[in-house]
Amino acid sequence: MNTKFKKTALEDDAEIYQHGTKSATKDDIKKLPPKKRIAYFCDYYLTKCLVVLALIICIILIICASINGKQHTPVLSVALINEVYLSDTDALCDEIKESLELDEDAIVNVTYYNLNEYQNNMSYLAHLSAGSVDVILCSEEFFTDSAPQGMFADLSTLLSKEELSAYSSQLKEASIVDTDTDGKIISKSEPAPMGIDAGNYIICLTEKGDNPENAKKAVSFFTTHTDCLNP
């Protein structure tokens, strides 16, 4: 064996290398002094053990990240816009979880956005685009300005006929309008139900919301708990 290319703590003519087999027997290893046993282990098993250990650590990290991700993913996100305001959102989140019969450790977000502030506006649009907003509570003025831009979902595509019928007297319709750079109308869709008038606010759902089932349940909550927000 050429020692120029083999760096090992064992001698080239060590007895353990002279059996003509790929690996030594247990008896051969037991005959070695402690230092040479360690050297033999390092030569033949250390790299494999490190690779296996690295794989185990990676698997554990992936599992932990998956579990933590699920634990921190909201099951419902509600946006309060401009005049629709609430000071104690934590109490409302707890009330929603109880009403919707969600798990105690489930995360419900209720976030207030003052869109007159630039950073709030950018944050709202970013969350809306990412699907991190399920329900929007807004004023009638905001609804009138935003619905034609396609900001809200067509409720007839999300709610059943029975559910729509239950809110028939409260439905607010709007058409999506496309305009050119000069503001001239290019096209206009047929009117569709995009909001539910609950009196103190308009309830709207989003197209890209991550939690459509809980969003539909939340509609019932917000139509029956109209006093849950600050006047």
Side-chain angles (χ1 to χ4, degrees):
M1 186 174 292
N2 190 342
T3 58
K4 183 178 181 181
F5 298 103
K6 176 172 175 57
K7 295 181 179 179
T8 175
L10 294 178
E11 299 295 334
D12 287 341
D13 58 351
E15 183 179 350
I16 201 167
Y17 289 129
Q18 305 303 315
H19 293 281
T21 60
K22 292 184 179 179
S23 61
T25 65
K26 290 182 179 179
D27 290 337
D28 293 331
I29 297 173
K30 287 179 181 179
K31 293 176 182 178
L32 293 173
K35 287 185 179 180
K36 290 191 175 182
R37 284 188 204 174
I38 295 173
Y40 179 79
F41 172 81
C42 292
D43 282 345
Y44 288 96
Y45 297 108
L46 182 59
T47 301
K48 295 178 182 179
C49 290
L50 290 176
V51 170
V52 171
L53 181 61
L55 288 173
I56 292 173
I57 292 173
C58 288
I59 292 171
I60 292 173
L61 291 175
I62 291 171
I63 293 173
C64 289
S66 176
I67 293 173
N68 290 333
K70 290 179 180 178
Q71 289 177 341
H72 292 87
T73 301
V75 299
L76 180 69
S77 294
V78 181
L80 312 180
I81 306 297
N82 293 349
E83 297 86 355
V84 180
Y85 172 73
L86 179 66
S87 57
D88 186 4
T89 57
D90 290 338
L92 177 57
C93 290
D94 292 337
E95 194 174 356
I96 291 172
K97 284 197 290 186
E98 182 179 354
S99 178
L100 272 59
E101 298 181 346
L102 300 173
D103 293 338
E104 188 175 340
D105 59 349
I107 297 177
V108 172
N109 285 341
V110 177
T111 307
Y112 171 68
Y113 296 96
N114 180 358
L115 301 188
N116 295 318
E117 297 180 359
Y118 177 78
Q119 288 187 342
N120 266 236
N121 201 338
M122 292 297 100
S123 177
Y124 167 71
L125 292 175
H127 282 93
L128 192 66
S129 299
S132 302
V133 178
D134 302 301
V135 181
I136 298 172
L137 305 184
C138 62
S139 65
E140 184 166 359
E141 180 182 1
F142 183 83
F143 174 84
T144 302
D145 291 341
S146 302
Q149 301 174 30
M151 189 172 288
F152 309 129
D154 179 349
L155 296 179
S156 64
T157 65
L158 299 177
L159 303 180
S160 66
K161 291 182 179 180
E162 291 76 13
E163 289 169 326
L164 280 176
S165 178
Y167 304 120
S168 59
S169 63
Q170 299 168 273
L171 292 177
K172 293 188 70 64
E173 294 188 336
S175 299
I176 297 177
V177 177
D178 288 329
T179 60
D180 59 19
T181 55
D182 296 325
K184 183 179 179 180
I185 295 177
I186 301 173
S187 63
K188 187 175 182 180
S189 69
E190 291 294 323
M194 296 186 186
I196 298 173
D197 190 344
N200 293 338
Y201 44 75
I202 308 297
I203 306 168
C204 304
L205 302 184
T206 62
E207 290 279 7
K208 298 180 180 180
D210 291 330
N211 307 287
E213 292 304 316
N214 285 334
K216 289 190 287 185
K217 294 177 183 177
V219 170
S220 176
F221 173 85
F222 284 115
T223 53
T224 56
H225 294 72
T226 55
D227 59 347
C228 65
L229 304 182
N230 295 346

